Amino acid sequence: MAEPRPVLEMTGIVKEFPGVRALSGVDFRLFPGEIHALLGENGAGKSTLIKVLTGVHSLDGGTITLDGQSVRFASPLQAQQAGISTVYQEVNLCPNLSVAENIFIGREPTRAGRIQWKQLRRKAAELVDRLGLDIDVTAPLSSYPLAVQQLVAIVRSVGTGDSVAEGSGTKVLILDEPTSSLDRDEVLELFALMRRLKEQGVAILFVSHFLDQIYEVCDRMTVLRNGTLVGEHMVSDLDQVGLVQLMIGKALDQLEELHDHQLHSGVGEPLLQADGLGRTGGIAPFDLEIKKGEVIGLAGLLGSGRTELARLLFGADQPDSGKVTIGGKQVSMSAPNDAIAAGVAFCSENRKTEGLVPDLTVRENIILALQAARGWTRPIPVSQRDELVAKYIKALDIRPANPEARVGQLSGGNQQKVLLARWLITQPKLLILDEPTRGIDIGAKAEIQKLVVSLSEDGMSVLYIAAELEEVLRLSHTIGVLRDRRLVAQIANGPEITTSRILETIASGEHQ
Amino acid sequence: MTTTSRWRALTHHQLFWPVAVLVVLLLVNIPFTPDFFSIRMSDGHLYGSLVSIVLFGSPLILVAVGMTLVIATGGIDLSVGAVVAIAGALACSYMSGQADQNALSGVLLAMGLALLAALVCGLWNGFLVARMGIQPIIATLIIMVAGRGVAQLITDGQIITVNSEPYKLIGGGYWLTLPFSIFVVAVVVAVTVALTRRTALGLLVESVGGNAEASRLVGIRSRRIKIMVYVFCALCAGIAGLMISSNTSAADGNNAGLWIELDAILAVVIGGTSLLGGRFSIGGTVVGALVIQTLTTTIYTIGVPTQTNLVFKAVVVIVVCLLQSPKFRAKVFGTKGRGRATGPAETAAVAEAAPKMEVSR
Ligand SMILES: Nc1ncnc2c1ncn2[C@@H]1O[C@H](COP(=O)(O)OP(=O)(O)OP(=O)(O)O)[C@@H](O)[C@H]1O
Ligand SMILES: [Mg+2]
């Protein structure tokens, strides 16, 4: 079979950052009408390849041809005008504009120079609806969880697949970890959309750390390791084991370990007790008890209130009913400080806006929570600080292992690890993890899950939220099921509990 | 390490461009004032252009240092000029009412009163910004406008002159052959550096300015920190106000510290602190303030016609700001990226992006 001509070809791509060679001589090609996976560990250079292609970063070497013509984009706008639509890894929208405005910003429907607001809202509602999202497009974007924001970014860049036919001119669609915070249903919607576009001849570049997803939608894959190309294969020619081996350069066996369901040690006396805690518009009043050393996993669909529940337990939002007692003492929960003082830590799902301070270094970001708890007058002694930071950089394998590196310059997965390190270092009694493995590669993900298990064995309680139900099921003693912003069931985990049992509960809203 | 990489490390140091500009500005003066760099001793005091730049630049340095912390939290303080005027007016009007203006206790009391007023102004600003959540530019505009009125009320619309030896010392006196204000500035700068870098205050300030929501969720009491920096900034302005009125032995509610807020903001920016907040550099601000003061001096020495004064100043400021933009440097000098390329979202913070690592290649 004669291969068609690639729509995009990159050869010998080199990109250097101070002290880091992010890409050294990478070749990459993309054919029309294919879904092409770009794979590699955290920091392998996937996002960087996308950014040099689309003109976010300048190129230090190599050539790019689009449709047979040599190109070099000076800005993302140019790339877009040439037909490359990109959804970057970190959602880049305007949180205080409405969903509709975000979708159409810069290309609002106008008549006689005036924006047709009604039409804009209607169109936006249609677009969102086709993706199976039930949201109010006139509400500000920031009022929705990250997953919705991610979908809005996707809708913004491609419409729903029909607009391409109408001549938006997209030849190449790039999705950098679009599924990292989506639930199964949204993933399926997204895949359907990707397939529609593929049929229309759009070439799609897809980045994900979920290997199952790769095997589900992709035709071809390119694997990077440490900024070099290690291979391009048809998905059908390489199985998962072979792929993982390519990605990390050695066989991965610890993964299997976790799969044999480790239900660990028992739990201790009650630690936290929430009575009728609730917030209008957030989550209906709920009762929840968390014991010492217990891992509680939260399951539910997008928008079911998992994050809202977690935020209430941390005082990130103020509850308007109920009370919380921790270790027998009532805690006011009027601000995160109160919860932190009582030994609660909260690792937000949204590391960019609610987590990291991009301008500060890895070290500064890691010690921030601990330092805030000590107050400004008592800096952590330098030697102790450096020791702690080095310990956690090593334990979580943060790369580059340079405490002086600016966090904003780390790859997405490594930023996530910094956020984890920040809270681990405070040795909380209750650790709330909202999507802690978002954007983390397969090896590190197993490491983090093992870490949760061992923390719980050491007596730390964990509230664990993850889009992947298997992940929740694997780690939790108890599974809290949420539906329509209500905690509908709390199920003790056991051999008879399966993902389908949980899904049933989510669907029916009750637990038999 | 090769010389080129050493050179790169040097040019990427955050103070490189501000210092380079300062040096160039100083050198420009030589053809016009050949003895620009000479320092003479007379009456046991040092005199010379360099000494006067520091002397006349002192109030600006003080105000700019306070402004740096405010800007680092993502705020801005437009009221410093008015606070300068209030502090001077209060001190002078109190002293002018004293029988013996040379009495140390009276002078100290006058200064204490002035600083107390500055503190109140700072608390007010901090309260509006941190407690009421008012945009800093608006919140501080209130005292910027009303404060001058207050200063004029205090002075009764007159220029109050005083004749006090001890008071004269702060802004116009000499100590150990040097202008006394240099010592005041040195102490304030040292205290600020110690306060921010020896404790965790600097880190927390940078965190609040770098990502306010993340800082809240990490448990930083950002309200307290914001109030602290506004108070600190106002105190710095208060000291500057004492200095200015002491130098002229007069309080002018109308003109003391006029537009100093703009010069201070410029100095902070030239020093490499982003107006968006986050990373700050006290050293950079001091250099930035010296650049502004040197510029003002230069305008006089090279005889720029007074009408074009401000235009000339603006041009230099634009050049300095452009020089600090890595994008601009890459375009003009062709040092294409070489690692300094930053994403569009990051360009705002580029002044701080200077890598601390050394690159050996
Ligand atoms: N702006 C930057 N400045 C300096 N170094 C950078 C910058 N951006 C990326 N890097 C470095 O380049 C390397 C590749 O990062 P990149 O973001 O491409 O990884 P990635 O493959 O997308 O990883 P992830 O799966 O974690 O998203 C990393 O070592 C990272 O630290
Ligand atoms: Mg990435």
Side-chain angles (χ1 to χ4, degrees):
Chain A
M1 192 177 91
E3 279 194 330
R5 195 176 59 139
V7 53
L8 172 77
E9 195 157 13
M10 304 174 77
T11 40
I13 301 297
V14 176
K15 177 69 201 173
E16 281 175 14
F17 295 112
V20 191
R21 192 163 201 162
L23 296 170
S24 28
V26 172
D27 300 336
F28 177 78
R29 43 188 203 150
L30 194 58
F31 293 90
E34 75 167 356
I35 303 183
H36 191 133
L38 183 58
L39 295 157
E41 288 182 285
N42 291 138
K46 304 178 293 294
S47 301
T48 306
L49 187 70
I50 290 167
K51 286 181 182 163
V52 294
L53 165 62
T54 54
V56 174
H57 291 324
S58 62
L59 203 59
D60 291 335
T63 55
I64 304 175
T65 30
L66 182 70
D67 267 345
Q69 281 184 341
S70 176
V71 290
R72 201 173 258 216
F73 302 116
S75 72
L77 186 65
Q78 277 186 14
Q80 177 133 33
Q81 282 160 349
I84 303 182
S85 284
T86 313
V87 178
Y88 294 98
Q89 186 169 9
E90 305 296 345
V91 176
N92 245 336
L93 298 173
C94 308
N96 41 15
L97 294 188
S98 72
V99 170
E101 283 167 315
N102 267 294
I103 294 178
F104 286 105
I105 205 167
R107 40 184 191 156
E108 299 88 349
T110 54
R111 187 187 300 151
R114 290 180 49 215
I115 297 180
Q116 301 296 110
W117 289 106
K118 265 198 191 140
Q119 193 189 347
L120 182 146
R121 283 195 284 270
R122 202 194 58 238
K123 274 195 172 176
E126 274 170 25
L127 286 174
V128 180
D129 201 43
R130 286 216 48 184
L131 265 190
L133 267 181
D134 177 25
I135 58 174
D136 173 10
V137 294
T138 60
L141 185 73
S142 57
S143 60
Y144 290 107
L146 193 62
V148 172
Q149 300 188 15
Q150 213 162 27
L151 284 169
V152 170
I154 293 166
V155 171
R156 165 173 172 72
S157 74
V158 288
T160 54
D162 308 311
S163 50
V164 173
E166 286 164 19
S168 73
T170 300
K171 291 178 222 156
V172 174
L173 170 63
I174 300 175
L175 301 169
D176 194 352
E177 301 199 27
T179 56
S180 62
S181 55
L182 299 191
D183 286 331
R184 188 67 201 151
D185 285 350
E186 288 88 42
V187 171
L188 290 181
E189 291 293 344
L190 176 63
F191 285 176
L193 163 64
M194 285 164 66
R195 292 199 182 97
R196 283 204 289 281
L197 290 167
K198 170 180 153 171
E199 270 159 29
Q200 295 169 23
V202 176
I204 301 177
L205 170 57
F206 178 71
V207 181
S208 171
H209 288 295
F210 298 104
L211 300 190
D212 295 339
Q213 295 181 355
I214 305 292
Y215 282 86
E216 201 174 328
V217 281
C218 296
D219 306 305
R220 195 191 295 264
M221 53 196 183
T222 293
V223 182
L224 301 181
R225 192 196 309 148
N226 277 335
T228 55
L229 176 72
V230 290
E232 189 209 74
H233 299 268
M234 294 309 290
V235 168
S236 48
D237 295 346
L238 190 67
D239 64 1
Q240 281 214 19
V241 179
L243 170 59
V244 170
Q245 202 156 352
L246 270 188
M247 272 165 54
I248 65 178
K250 58 175 191 275
L252 186 71
D253 40 25
Q254 322 98 288
L255 257 196
E256 306 309 320
E257 251 175 68
L258 257 168
H259 277 296
D260 13 304
H261 209 85
Q262 345 182 319
L263 257 192
H264 21 274
S265 58
V267 299
E269 69 268 28
L271 169 74
L272 179 144
Q273 177 91 41
D275 291 310
L277 196 65
R279 175 184 163 88
T280 0
I283 182 157
F286 61 90
D287 298 333
L288 181 71
E289 186 186 72
I290 304 180
K291 300 198 183 67
K292 203 164 174 286
E294 184 179 32
V295 181
I296 295 201
L298 294 187
L301 300 176
L302 175 61
S304 60
R306 290 166 303 181
T307 296
E308 287 76 4
L309 187 153
R311 287 176 68 91
L312 279 192
L313 288 181
F314 184 66
D317 296 326
Q318 269 81 69
D320 42 28
S321 72
K323 62 177 178 125
V324 180
T325 32
I326 299 176
K329 273 206 286 280
Q330 185 167 343
V331 180
S332 86
M333 289 292 170
S334 58
N337 301 341
D338 303 325
I340 292 170
V344 184
F346 171 61
C347 215
S348 164
E349 63 172 337
N350 197 340
R351 60 175 173 254
K352 187 183 173 194
T353 56
E354 297 178 355
L356 300 167
V357 188
D359 268 351
L360 297 185
T361 62
V362 169
R363 185 207 304 128
E364 289 167 326
N365 267 286
I366 289 183
I367 62 164
L368 205 52
L370 189 60
Q371 186 60 64
R374 291 170 65 105
W376 67 271
T377 48
R378 294 197 306 137
I380 305 165
V382 175
S383 60
Q384 188 192 343
R385 179 193 75 186
D386 290 347
E387 198 178 306
L388 271 173
V389 169
K391 180 174 147 199
Y392 280 87
I393 286 181
K394 187 150 175 287
L396 295 175
D397 192 20
I398 294 170
R399 289 185 228 172
N402 173 10
E404 300 286 347
R406 278 181 57 220
V407 154
Q409 298 177 339
L410 260 52
S411 81
N414 283 299
Q415 293 188 5
Q416 185 69 35
K417 295 181 192 172
V418 170
L419 189 57
L420 266 173
R422 172 193 291 172
W423 288 111
L424 288 178
I425 214 171
T426 63
Q427 302 189 313
K429 290 185 196 135
L430 169 64
L431 178 60
I432 303 176
L433 297 173
D434 194 356
E435 301 280 2
T437 55
R438 187 167 88 85
I440 278 189
D441 68 40
I442 178 157
K445 196 171 203 163
E447 286 301 323
I448 287 175
Q449 296 181 6
K450 279 205 282 192
L451 186 71
V452 168
V453 171
S454 78
L455 289 174
S456 133
E457 275 163 0
D458 294 343
M460 193 187 290
S461 314
V462 179
L463 186 76
Y464 198 91
I465 304 177
E468 256 186 310
L469 208 46
E470 291 80 8
E471 203 174 321
V472 173
L473 210 57
R474 195 148 58 223
L475 296 172
S476 318
H477 294 99
T478 309
I479 297 147
V481 180
L482 287 105
R483 177 193 154 94
D484 296 336
R485 302 182 176 260
R486 199 172 285 282
L487 181 63
V488 291
Q490 293 181 46
I491 306 172
N493 202 355
E496 75 287 354
I497 304 292
T498 58
T499 46
S500 49
R501 264 297 275 290
I502 305 282
L503 283 171
E504 247 168 59
T505 314
I506 292 177
S508 68
E510 55 207 53
H511 175 57
Q512 292 81 20
Chain B
M1 203 163 83
T2 62
T3 25
T4 47
S5 68
R6 203 166 285 180
W7 173 245
R8 266 170 53 85
L10 181 69
T11 56
H12 280 176
H13 190 279
Q14 63 179 33
L15 285 184
F16 178 80
W17 288 104
V19 169
V21 169
L22 180 60
V23 170
V24 169
L25 267 181
L26 290 171
L27 292 178
V28 162
N29 281 281
I30 294 188
F32 302 91
T33 325
D35 62 348
F36 189 75
F37 283 91
S38 72
I39 291 174
R40 336 173 277 289
M41 174 81 97
S42 95
D43 281 351
H45 300 168
L46 290 177
Y47 288 103
S49 304
L50 292 182
V51 178
S52 15
I53 285 176
V54 183
L55 173 60
F56 293 120
S58 294
L60 179 59
I61 296 178
L62 288 180
V63 173
V65 163
M67 185 73 78
T68 307
L69 294 188
V70 170
I71 286 180
T73 62
I76 199 150
D77 188 348
L78 296 182
S79 72
V80 284
V83 174
V84 163
I86 292 178
L90 255 183
C92 291
S93 73
Y94 179 82
M95 268 183 298
S96 63
Q98 298 300 101
D100 176 12
Q101 294 194 10
N102 283 327
L104 195 58
S105 61
V107 171
L108 286 179
L109 206 62
M111 288 167 49
L113 256 177
L115 293 183
L116 192 69
L119 185 122
V120 170
C121 291
L123 273 177
W124 171 251
N125 285 335
F127 170 79
L128 290 184
V129 172
R131 287 275 156 190
M132 308 308 286
I134 297 177
Q135 291 277 329
I137 202 167
I138 303 297
T140 56
L141 203 57
I142 297 175
I143 294 189
M144 176 184 179
V145 177
R148 276 210 185 269
V150 172
Q152 296 200 30
L153 270 181
I154 296 170
T155 61
D156 231 355
Q158 309 289 311
I159 294 180
I160 299 182
T161 51
V162 289
N163 191 355
S164 159
E165 272 312 306
Y167 191 63
K168 182 80 190 167
L169 180 67
I170 323 165
Y174 280 78
W175 192 51
L176 299 178
T177 75
L178 283 172
F180 186 75
S181 44
I182 293 182
F183 295 98
V184 177
V185 166
V187 168
V188 171
V189 170
V191 165
T192 314
V193 170
L195 202 65
T196 51
R197 299 302 179 194
R198 284 301 175 89
T199 71
L201 187 62
L203 173 65
L204 300 188
V205 163
E206 288 175 336
S207 173
V208 168
N211 188 341
E213 177 61 6
S215 302
R216 185 179 79 91
L217 290 180
V218 100
I220 295 175
R221 298 172 193 276
S222 32
R223 284 181 182 172
R224 248 187 238 180
I225 288 188
K226 282 189 181 162
I227 292 177
M228 270 169 72
V229 297
Y230 281 95
V231 167
F232 181 77
C233 181
L235 280 177
C236 286
I239 302 176
L242 294 177
M243 227 176 230
I244 291 174
S245 65
S246 140
N247 188 274
T248 55
S249 289
D252 177 352
N254 223 353
N255 291 312
L258 198 60
W259 304 132
I260 201 170
E261 57 277 350
L262 298 188
D263 278 349
I265 293 166
L266 271 175
V268 173
V269 172
I270 290 174
T273 301
S274 161
L275 276 179
L276 295 179
R279 281 254 180 252
F280 68 87
S281 160
I282 298 289
T285 295
V286 173
V287 176
L290 288 174
V291 166
I292 302 271
Q293 189 57 43
T294 310
L295 186 56
T296 312
T297 309
T298 308
I299 287 173
Y300 289 121
T301 55
I302 69 177
V304 176
T306 19
Q307 312 91 298
T308 49
N309 243 343
L310 292 176
V311 177
F312 182 83
K313 197 166 173 181
V315 169
V316 175
V317 167
I318 291 171
V319 170
V320 177
C321 292
L322 284 177
L323 273 177
Q324 290 201 44
S325 149
K327 270 211 172 144
F328 177 83
R329 290 208 301 271
K331 283 229 167 70
V332 174
F333 307 120
T335 53
K336 188 71 186 162
R338 291 299 277 182
R340 286 300 301 261
T342 30
E346 287 158 23
T347 35
V350 279
E352 276 300 322
K356 299 220 174 65
M357 301 177 279
E358 289 175 337
V359 188
S360 315
R361 141 165 345 112

